[in-house]
Amino acid sequence: LEVALAARSAGHEVAYWGSARGMEGRASADAGIAFRSFDAWPLVSLKTPAGWRALAKLARASVIASRAIGTDRPDRVFSTGGYGAAPVLWAARRRGVPYVLHEANS
């Protein structure tokens, strides 16, 4: 969120794309940043029904993210990782949009 705010203050148009189940939507709204959400869940073991549901949601989120990137045509994608980032990064790569991944936990 801080990177988005800094980019916006430098005159860039900014939008936040992420999982509908996280806190990002509210934080983006509070900061006045456009938010586009999709239903994504952490991928757990495919030995369980929950794992297969998560995989289906991940696949659907990837399609939604790809369409969003095709419509919005961003110049760059900045990501901090996590399960909600995977569909957006996959879509950016697929559509040839440069991306940066900043993962402070690794």
Side-chain angles (χ1 to χ4, degrees), residues 44-55:
V44 294
S45 172
L46 294 179
K47 295 179 183 179
T48 66
W52 285 99
R53 283 191 298 274
L55 182 61

Side-chain angles (χ1 to χ4, degrees), residues 55-72:
L55 182 61
K57 287 177 188 270
L58 183 64
R60 179 157 167 60
S62 296
V63 170
I64 292 168
S66 185
R67 286 182 186 151
I69 285 182
T71 300
D72 295 350

Side-chain angles (χ1 to χ4, degrees), residues 1 5 8 23-35:
L1 189 57
L5 293 172
R8 186 173 66 184
M23 64 180 157
E24 295 90 351
R26 173 178 261 169
S28 294
D30 290 346
I33 294 174
F35 182 73

